[in-house]
Each structure stands twice: as C-alpha cells, then as structure tokens.
Amino acid sequence: MKTLIGKVLKYNIKNLNTDLIIPARYLTKSDPNYLAEHCMEDLDSEFNKKKEKYNATILVADSNFGCGSSREQAPIALKAAGIKCVIAPSFARIFFRNAINIGLTILEFKEINALNTGDALEINFKDGIVKNLTSNRKYKVKKMPLFLQEIISAEGLLNFARNKILKK
Amino acid sequence: MGLTITEKILKDHCDDKKASAGDFILARIDKCLANDITAPIAISVFDKIMEGTKKAVFDAKKIILTPDHFTPNKDVASAEQCKILRKFAQEYKIVNYFEIGRVGIEHCLIPEQGLVLPGEVFIGADSHTCTYGALGAFSTGVGSTDLGVSMALGQCWLKIPETIKIVYSGKLNKWVSGKDLILYTIAQIGVDGAIYKAIEFTGKVIENLSMANRFTMCNMAIEAGAKNGIIVPDKITKEYLQNIRHFNYKTYENDKDADYFDEIEFNCSFIEPQVAFPHSPDNAKPISEVDAIKIEIDQAVIGSCTNGRLEDLITAAKILKNQKIKSNVRCIIIPGTQKIYLDALKMGLIEIFIDAGAVVSTPTCGPCLGGHLGVLASNEVCVSTTNRNFVGRMGHKDSKIYLSNPAIAAISAIKGYITSPTYSLTK
Ligand code: SF4
C-alpha cells in the first residue's frame, strides 16, 4: 500500500454517525457521485466547499466515528467525495468493516489534538508512521496487517476475493 | 500472558500463530448465515466475485439461508427477495436452506438445529448473530459484502477483540430473567460500553442459568456495542447439546491468567425486572419505578430472537392462564421456530394464549423490525420482548417501544399498563 500525502479537514465531534455522513433520505439511489454530493450535509452544509478550499483528502474526527446504522453507503459517500483516509481515535465496528471492504482507508489515531484543518500529513501504512508536515511532528501508529493493505489496494474486499479466486 | 476463550477460538482459526487481542486475522469460518434481507446483496457480491469462473461456494453444507424477516412474504418486493435465496439454494445445493414451513427466526432456529457448536467461528449477515456465544462459539454479525466473500472463500477478516468479563454474583430475584440481566448490564455500561469487545458472561448466576436465558443475554451483547458475547461451555451447555444429539465438538476455556480489558461485577440480589424506555436499549429502569408511573400500552409483543423460545412462552402462559388481555390491548405472541410452536401447542400453551385473547403468529421476525404482523401507528405504545426500541423500529416514527422480559410483557397486556406480576398477580 502506498504512502498517502494529503491535507486535513477536521470535525471535533464524537459519535459522528452514519446519518450525518449520509442521511437516510438519499439512500434510494446508489450512485456514489450522488451520495458524495450529499455527504455530511446534515452536519455541515459547507462540507464539500471546505473540502475544496483546503484541498482536503483526509478527514479527522473524534471517537466512535461511523456509529449508527450499518449502511455501507456511508464510507462509499466519503470515498466518492474524494476522502482518501479517515482518522479517528476509534471507529464504530461495522463502519470500520464497511470502510475496509469498499477500499476506504481508515486509521485509528488517539492524538487527534495534534491534527488541525489544513495540516499536511504523510501517512506510511506499511511502517505505521504518521508525519504532520505542517507541525513537523512524527507519530507511530499500529501497522496495518498485510492482507488489510491488500484489500485496500485492491479497492475493496470484493476485488480482493476475486483476485484470490482467479489465482486458484 | 494467558488467553481468553474468544482469543483462543480465533487463534485456532487462522494461520497467524502469534495472533492475540487487537490483531487482525483472516479467519477460517465454520458456518455462515444470511437472511431474506441480507442474502440478496451477499449473493450479488458472490456472483461478481465468481463472474466468468467455475462457480462454486466454498462448502454447500456450511452456508445457512433463513428467509425469516418478511415471511411468509408480506408483499411482492419481499417475495422477489426470497426468490433469489431459493434459486441460489437450488443452484448451489445449499443443504441448510429453510423453506417457509420449516424456517424459524434464525437465531432461535440455528442452535435448535445443531448448526452451531462450541468452539466454532460463525459469522452471519445479521447483527444478532452474536446469540450463539451462549454455546461457547465465536459468533458475530458482518455486512453483506463480508458474507458474499465468505461464501466464496470460506474466510472472513476479523479483529481479535479484547474481552470484558462480567461477573454476575448474588441471587436472582423472582421474575428476573436473562433479559433483565442484559438490560441492566447495557444500562450500566451504555450502548457503546463494549465497542469492538467480547463480553464474557460469568459468575454463579450464569452457571445456573438456562440455555434459553443465556441465548437472550448473548443476543443483546451487540446492544452494548460488543462484537460477540460468550459463555464458557459447562454442564448446562453439554446437556443442551446432548438433547439435540450432538456429542462431537471442541470446547475452549479461559487460561487461568487470561488478560481481560476490564472486569465488572454485578450483584444480582439488587436487580429487579428491567424495562428499557424509548428510544435506546440502555435506558432501563427497575420495574418498581416503572409500575409507579403507570405507562399505558396499546400492544404487547412476546417473541423475537431475544425471547421467542419455549421457556419464554411457558413464562407468558403462566401469567396469561385463565386471564383476559385488556380490551384495548393487542397481544401478539410469536414462537421462534416451528418446533417451539409445536411444543407449545402440545403443552397447551397456544390454547391458553388464544383463550386470553392473544394472537399467535407463525414464526417470523414480523413486528420486531416493523416488518409486518403488528406494526405500530403514530403515538402508539408497545411493551415488547424484542431487543431494539429505536425510533420507528416497530412502525411509525412517533410510536414508542418499551423493552422487557416475557413475564412483564404478559402481565402488562392483562393490566393495560406496564407492571410486574409481583404487584399484579393475585394468585
Ligand atoms: S427477531 Fe428481530 S432482532 Fe431478531 S433477527 Fe429478527 S428482526 Fe433481527
């Protein structure tokens, strides 16, 4: 899995639930771009604008990110909105699974106080290192096991499984 | 450092011999399960994986399909969903596909059929798959994509959870059941109290608890955010399995020096029957407080994967015998499986229910998820033995659900307000 370099958009919010990520009223369509348009809109109607303003691809939030319903559309919406990685001290379990399964990188990182909107980060998943290029500080995170990196590199669990079946 | 039962089971199901709590593993699964809501998506994932290859499931004996949520089909859309399951089952010769007439609520049916055994890794595309921890298996709910992949590979990626040990000491008070213990527990630790974690139920009270009550407790582990609930197999587990003629399985125990994330003790002598107020399962209050405020109800539901077992129906029948349901209350009783239904029939329970003025439904999830057979109108109030009282879970978004054990639900149906047999049963 490649090292990711990107900028941060941060919401200092705990329990940011899947209804805030993508409201249920938009679940009638499954087109990722449509979902992306409405991503986070009940939390912050300026989400897409801010994301562009800061050129942000890394979303940072507080603990228990993605709690609530098990809708897979939540990570799909974030990914389609151009988010490459979500960082939070903890994730709701099903969101965690869904994110990996659709190929959205997520990172458990306790010290979100060290990250601010606009900061540039360099994340090395292989070695488990987060560098804040703006504040020039370095942090260690748990290394991602190889097969999880493979799943994300394959853009999700389905392709990962297909690759395995094709190799058989 | 020693390992917990959950850690040991998962470690034995992967290639990483050093795996311990917190690690991600690619686990070999023993069984997997999907229902009429989740299987259609899982099947389409499976089809995509297999496109252009020699299609085959990893093991036709290890996949279980239970059309139980909207069945017997309530409308055309649900009939189409079930048709997908049926076709898939025929095409891949799925041994454990349960047709209407044989199907029951999945988490009642699967243990009853001996389809889950101690020491197994069982995943299901349904959040209450955690129920089977009561038998000392590792079982957990996953998404439809996970399930589609599992049907192809026989593998599922998992994070080995740390374990919270909960010790239940003291003595159970009258009318207090596994349901009350778990509602009490969730109220203490919160709906996020055990996120990612395994909850291990232990202590003197658990050692003497029936399998039905153990299933109820593990069933609601998810309501505290847990990945799985688990109880180390003992004499009671063994007897249960003997009765369904299963003798060959591997049991695991905790190491003496097992490392727990946390240990909590509850003295059951102080626990009354519990009622969880809308709209969260962690909103439980003791029945003495609830009785005092006389919450009037429109409906009482006794059933679901939480409390639809024979023991639950026996409890309800004890209270409903020779009594009449209050004229303005609907009481809906749903046996969990066909076998439970038949046993209840033979024992005369069904007669008691119908004499009391209750409706007895064929086994199905039905009202538990607002599907059918008992959906609530606006502002209606229901006391229910199910597991979730979220906004709109049983119908209209302005309806209210109070969660309780079967005894409380039954006596409340007679009285018309939420109460306990302790106050209201004059026998
Ligand atoms: S009875 Fe309710 S909780 Fe149980 S499987 Fe059915 S819908 Fe889910």
Side-chain angles (χ1 to χ4, degrees):
Chain A
M1 212 173 140
K2 284 197 215 103
T3 296
L4 173 72
I5 297 177
K7 284 192 170 169
V8 169
L9 179 60
K10 180 172 170 183
Y11 291 95
N12 228 335
I13 294 172
K14 283 189 183 163
N15 308 316
L16 205 160
N17 66 50
T18 49
D19 277 291
L20 293 174
I21 299 170
I22 183 75
R25 59 182 178 279
Y26 298 118
L27 298 180
T28 49
K29 287 194 199 169
S30 54
D31 174 18
N33 293 326
Y34 173 79
L35 297 173
E37 266 171 52
H38 299 288
C39 187
M40 304 283 255
E41 104 183 355
D42 285 3
L43 174 73
D44 179 4
S45 55
E46 305 273 282
F47 172 73
N48 276 317
K49 265 199 208 138
K50 280 189 194 154
K51 207 184 60 206
E52 266 160 43
K53 181 176 156 202
Y54 295 107
N55 196 9
T57 53
I58 299 170
L59 185 69
V60 177
D62 210 338
S63 56
N64 199 22
F65 185 92
C67 59
S69 92
S70 62
R71 64 188 67 150
E72 213 168 84
Q73 288 93 335
I76 290 175
L78 287 168
K79 194 179 170 201
I83 298 298
K84 296 238 158 21
C85 178
V86 184
I87 299 180
S90 66
F91 292 85
R93 192 178 76 81
I94 298 194
F95 179 88
F96 193 105
R97 291 199 77 78
N98 286 341
I100 302 276
N101 288 349
I102 63 126
L104 173 70
T105 314
I106 56 179
L107 191 69
E108 282 184 338
F109 183 68
K110 299 268 175 268
E111 292 145 273
I112 58 159
N113 286 338
L115 309 177
N116 292 302
T117 295
D119 284 0
L121 305 186
E122 184 187 299
I123 308 170
N124 181 329
F125 298 99
K126 227 172 67 215
D127 303 330
I129 293 167
V130 175
K131 258 194 226 161
N132 187 335
L133 303 174
T134 308
S135 67
N136 208 5
R137 307 257 321 244
K138 217 163 115 179
Y139 305 89
K140 271 201 94 67
V141 289
K142 206 167 176 181
K143 272 190 234 167
M144 203 178 254
L146 214 58
F147 73 87
L148 278 190
Q149 294 188 39
E150 275 176 47
I151 294 173
I152 290 170
S153 299
E155 293 279 321
L157 187 63
L158 199 158
N159 291 332
F160 169 82
R162 185 162 170 77
N163 293 344
K164 273 201 157 191
I165 294 284
L166 289 177
K167 260 191 228 148
K168 258 191 198 170
Chain B
M1 208 158 16
L3 298 178
T4 68
I5 174 170
T6 297
E7 291 160 5
K8 280 191 189 169
I9 296 174
L10 288 174
K11 200 173 153 208
D12 273 5
H13 282 78
C14 74
D15 294 332
D16 181 355
K17 286 299 149 235
K18 286 195 302 235
S20 66
D23 290 343
F24 292 90
I25 57 163
L26 205 51
R28 289 182 294 277
I29 57 168
D30 293 302
K31 310 272 171 47
C32 65
L33 157 79
N35 56 46
D36 47 331
I37 295 182
T38 55
I41 312 172
I43 290 169
S44 82
V45 168
F46 175 85
D47 284 342
K48 280 184 199 143
I49 295 168
M50 291 296 169
E51 213 179 299
T53 70
K54 222 173 121 237
K55 291 182 164 193
V57 294
F58 86 101
D59 190 332
K61 288 194 285 297
K62 295 185 173 174
I63 295 170
I64 304 165
L65 296 173
T66 52
D68 60 350
H69 278 60
F70 298 138
T71 54
N73 292 134
K74 65 164 186 144
D75 54 20
V76 174
S78 64
E80 293 293 342
Q81 298 270 89
C82 286
K83 201 168 136 188
I84 298 172
L85 271 70
R86 195 171 292 126
K87 232 188 92 211
F88 183 83
Q90 282 164 357
E91 190 175 342
Y92 294 97
K93 306 200 165 41
I94 303 298
V95 179
N96 294 301
Y97 164 74
F98 291 89
E99 190 52 271
I100 315 305
R102 279 135 278 180
V103 78
I105 300 172
E106 53 204 90
H107 309 309
C108 295
L109 181 74
I110 284 160
E112 173 191 290
Q113 295 286 324
L115 287 173
V116 57
L117 293 170
E120 290 190 337
V121 170
F122 190 116
I123 61 156
D126 187 277
S127 57
H128 292 102
T129 304
C130 54
T131 308
Y132 320 135
L135 285 167
F138 173 86
S139 66
T140 193
V142 295
S144 288
T145 304
D146 290 305
L147 206 90
V149 168
S150 299
M151 292 197 299
L153 298 181
Q155 287 178 324
C156 181
W157 70 269
L158 295 164
K159 184 175 179 179
I160 302 181
E162 296 170 302
T163 301
I164 298 174
K165 176 175 172 176
I166 307 186
V167 183
Y168 296 85
S169 61
K171 265 186 77 181
L172 277 190
N173 288 311
K174 182 100 176 128
W175 302 114
V176 173
S177 67
K179 180 63 164 286
D180 304 290
L181 298 185
I182 191 68
L183 286 176
Y184 179 85
T185 302
I186 298 164
Q188 298 302 310
I189 68 175
V191 283
D192 56 356
I195 289 182
Y196 294 147
K197 305 286 188 291
I199 300 183
E200 189 183 319
F201 301 104
T202 157
K204 271 275 158 308
V205 169
I206 304 296
E207 282 165 28
N208 294 306
L209 207 59
S210 69
M211 274 315 298
N213 277 296
R214 293 180 182 189
F215 284 124
T216 304
M217 291 187 75
C218 289
N219 174 272
M220 289 191 71
I222 175 76
E223 258 55 68
K227 179 172 214 149
N228 65 311
I230 198 159
I231 295 171
V232 176
D234 60 8
K235 223 176 103 238
I236 290 174
T237 328
K238 231 191 199 155
E239 275 169 20
Y240 177 89
L241 291 165
Q242 248 160 22
N243 280 333
I244 54 168
R245 284 183 288 284
H246 277 279
F247 307 97
N248 290 326
Y249 46 83
K250 181 171 180 189
T251 54
Y252 291 80
E253 284 176 16
N254 295 299
D255 284 335
K256 285 222 160 47
D257 57 344
D259 190 25
Y260 289 98
F261 174 79
D262 200 1
E263 289 193 40
I264 304 170
E265 184 169 341
F266 295 128
N267 185 341
C268 298
S269 309
F270 300 107
I271 300 178
E272 294 178 37
Q274 303 284 310
V275 176
F277 279 45
H279 296 283
S280 184
D282 65 355
N283 241 344
K285 296 189 176 37
I287 192 68
S288 56
E289 277 177 36
V290 184
D291 178 74
I293 53 175
K294 304 243 176 317
I295 300 160
E296 292 190 0
I297 58 166
D298 301 289
Q299 179 163 301
V301 172
I302 299 170
S304 85
C305 59
T306 315
N307 281 120
R309 297 185 180 81
L310 190 63
E311 197 176 311
D312 300 313
L313 300 187
I314 292 172
T315 303
K318 261 187 212 153
I319 288 166
L320 289 170
K321 190 165 187 183
N322 299 325
Q323 302 280 334
K324 287 280 173 225
I325 307 253
K326 182 119 186 183
S327 58
N328 57 350
V329 174
R330 292 106 55 184
C331 181
I332 300 168
I333 301 179
I334 310 173
T337 66
Q338 292 286 70
K339 181 176 186 310
I340 296 169
Y341 199 169
L342 198 56
D343 287 346
L345 191 72
K346 287 179 186 159
M347 291 173 74
L349 310 185
I350 305 294
E351 203 175 325
I352 292 172
F353 297 150
I354 292 178
D355 274 344
V359 69
V360 183
S361 152
T362 187
T364 179
C365 295
C368 173
L369 79 163
H372 56 152
L373 295 167
V375 175
L376 299 171
S378 57
N379 298 315
E380 287 192 326
V381 176
C382 178
V383 63
S384 176
T385 68
T386 52
N387 48 39
R388 284 184 177 151
N389 55 351
F390 300 157
V391 172
R393 172 81 178 181
M394 201 177 277
H396 197 280
K397 69 172 187 5
D398 295 329
S399 58
K400 291 199 180 91
I401 308 163
Y402 292 81
L403 304 177
S404 77
N405 73 28
I408 300 286
I411 191 73
S412 304
I414 296 168
K415 293 290 163 184
Y417 64 90
I418 304 178
T419 181
S420 159
T422 313
Y423 311 122
S424 305
L425 209 59
T426 45
K427 278 198 256 189

